[in-house]
Structure formats: C-alpha cells, structure tokens
Amino acid sequence: MNTKQIIPSDEELTAFIDGELTAEEAERIESLVNEDESIAERLEFLARASLPFEQAFAPLLSQAPREKLETMLAAIPVPESAKPGATPVSASRRRFLGALAASLVAGVAIDRAVLSIGRGFSARDESSEWRAVVADYISLYTADTLAGPVPGRQEQTAQLADLDEKLGLSLSPEAVALPGVDFKRALLLQYDGKALAQIAYLDPETGPMALCIVRSDAGPKAPDLESRKGMNIVYWSNGEHAFMLIGHAAADRMTAIADGVRGRVAVES
C-alpha cells in the first residue's frame, strides 16, 4: 500500500509550522513526520527559525489550541525498549511539539532565521566545528528540497544583498555561479552568534550543493578537502571569512568548482 513518498520541501515545512496549510496538507505532513525521523529532524530544525509564529497562529490562540497539542503529544508512542534515563527516539519530536505549544500560547515571534548550535562551542577548532554543523544540516537536503525554478538574476541579486549586508561581502550572481549547477536560493543563517551565509544549489547529476560563508579572524588558509555525512567539502579562508563548498559530487569535481568560485569571491569580497 506504500506509494512513493514525496519528501516535503523546506517551504512546505515552514508553511506547516506557520499554520498556512490546508487541513489535508497538514495531516500529510504530520504523517510524514511521524514516519520519517529525518523529516522530523528537519522540521524541528526549521522550527527554530525566524518564523512569524504570533501572526500565523493568531486565530488559533483565541481558540486555546493547547488541548489539541497535548493530545498530539500524548499520542506519540514511547518505545518500550527505551532505557531509564535515556532519550527515546521520539523525545526530540515531543520537545518540538511542546515548544510549539508554548509558542502558540505565548505568541512568540522570532526575528531572523537561526541555525542553532549547542552551547558547547570549542575554541580549539572553530573551523571544524562550523563545518560539522553545516554538514549535518545539508545532509537533510534532497533534490525535492530545492525543487522549483531557478530565480532570475534580479531575485538572486536581492537575496545576495542580504548576505552582503550582514557579512561585509559584495557578491554578485556571476561571482557565485557554479558551472553546470543551478542556483536555488541564498539564505542568511546564524552560527555561534555570527551571521552565516548559505547559497544553495541543485546539481542535476549529484543533488544538493551549497557554498557557505562565515566571518572568521583565523587568518588565510589554503583550500583543503574532507568528507562529512557522505559529502565532500572543500574549505578555505581569507583574512575575514571562512568558506566551504559542500556537495555529493566527486572530490576532484568539487575541488575544481571551489577553485573557480574562490577566485571570483576573492575579487568580489
């Protein structure tokens, strides 16, 4: 009875969190979240974003939705195999729904998309830490996540302008264009209290790819290559920023792409 499961895009998940889906669509998302842990994790991740909860859920606030959400929480089974003191698989989902319920009652609104990380930030290897966090996030992306038309140059320029303002960059669509890979969107996230730029692409051959940039005073570093979450990462830094290009393409292709964009970004920034 299983039909091919279509993984919801980030736009669908944020619409679900914002209460903008129809009852049928919302029920489909809830079902997918309950069945697929990776979707549940991405939903929880996006739930930390700067979504206008207060405005989106205003009609529900007056209808006291707490009871319904508590019923949803109670319906989530706790695995019998969970050991005392251990965190069950469904715990993150329970925490997410609990946080959402609290947000609904309090009418919480968050100002800007935030890529959350743990407080245990280690100064010993800042570069490695931020790459690990980004790899965890990008590993949740699929081709469906980035489906849709390629934005026009004007829209790309507008999205990149947000990144320029926060990171002290001067990026153009031409500077961040990757050969044979489609530009999909530019997002402003946050890492350890610092703005983090993510430019997402879709490679027709290998799937999601991203160029990420964060401010760094660690000094210049020549390009290097590593593998995380089954993806190849080329990373480097200049005097003001750290960069990483991450994707599923082969290492030699990722290196070649990184070499090209590194030269253009160096001129633009």
Side-chain angles (χ1 to χ4, degrees):
M1 293 179 61
N2 257 348
T3 56
K4 186 175 185 293
Q5 178 172 294
I6 299 178
I7 298 176
S9 66
D10 284 358
E11 287 75 12
E12 288 178 292
L13 292 177
T14 53
F16 172 75
I17 297 170
D18 280 346
E20 296 174 350
L21 298 180
T22 65
E24 182 179 354
E25 291 171 332
E27 185 177 352
R28 179 179 71 86
I29 297 296
E30 287 179 12
S31 176
L32 291 173
V33 167
N34 288 327
E35 294 172 2
D36 192 321
E37 188 65 24
S38 68
I39 296 175
E41 289 175 356
R42 190 161 86 234
L43 180 64
E44 182 175 0
F45 208 102
L46 293 170
R48 302 170 185 169
S50 75
L51 305 173
F53 289 112
E54 184 173 13
Q55 177 182 355
F57 288 109
L60 294 178
L61 291 173
S62 62
Q63 299 172 23
R66 178 189 291 272
E67 183 177 345
K68 179 179 178 181
L69 286 166
E70 288 179 345
T71 300
M72 291 168 62
L73 289 172
I76 300 175
V78 177
E80 294 180 2
S81 59
K83 297 179 181 179
T87 302
V89 173
S90 61
S92 63
R93 208 168 307 158
R94 288 175 175 273
R95 284 196 295 269
F96 162 65
L97 288 175
L100 179 56
S103 297
L104 289 175
V105 174
V108 175
I110 305 174
D111 181 58
R112 172 65 74 171
V114 174
L115 177 62
S116 179
I117 66 166
R119 291 300 180 192
F121 171 71
S122 173
R124 60 183 172 79
D125 194 353
E126 173 186 355
S127 177
S128 177
E129 180 72 16
W130 87 277
R131 296 196 307 274
V133 172
V134 171
D136 282 341
Y137 184 55
I138 300 299
S139 69
L140 300 177
Y141 278 21
T142 69
D144 289 330
T145 307
L146 300 171
V150 175
R153 189 184 188 284
Q154 186 173 356
E155 185 177 349
Q156 291 185 32
T157 301
Q159 292 180 17
L160 292 171
D162 263 352
L163 312 186
D164 291 346
E165 180 182 353
K166 295 294 184 179
L167 282 99
L169 297 167
S170 180
L171 301 175
S172 67
E174 292 76 19
V176 299
L178 306 185
V181 181
D182 293 333
F183 177 107
K184 285 297 183 174
R185 64 189 180 212
L187 299 175
L188 183 63
L189 307 173
Q190 187 180 97
Y191 167 78
D192 195 43
K194 297 181 291 188
L196 185 154
Q198 181 200 102
I199 306 169
Y201 307 83
L202 185 59
D203 179 9
E205 297 180 8
T206 62
M209 188 178 294
L211 173 65
C212 300
I213 310 168
V214 68
R215 282 190 182 274
S216 172
D217 57 5
K221 176 174 175 45
D224 206 345
L225 178 71
E226 67 180 0
S227 179
R228 293 178 186 267
K229 295 289 183 177
M231 295 173 288
N232 287 312
I233 299 174
V234 182
Y235 60 97
W236 68 96
S237 61
N238 58 24
E240 298 179 354
H241 301 92
F243 303 80
M244 63 180 284
L245 180 71
I246 178 171
H248 298 271
D252 56 351
R253 181 164 177 243
M254 292 293 293
T255 300
I257 293 174
D259 284 346
V261 74
R262 183 167 63 95
R264 295 191 300 274
V265 169
V267 172
E268 294 283 333
S269 54

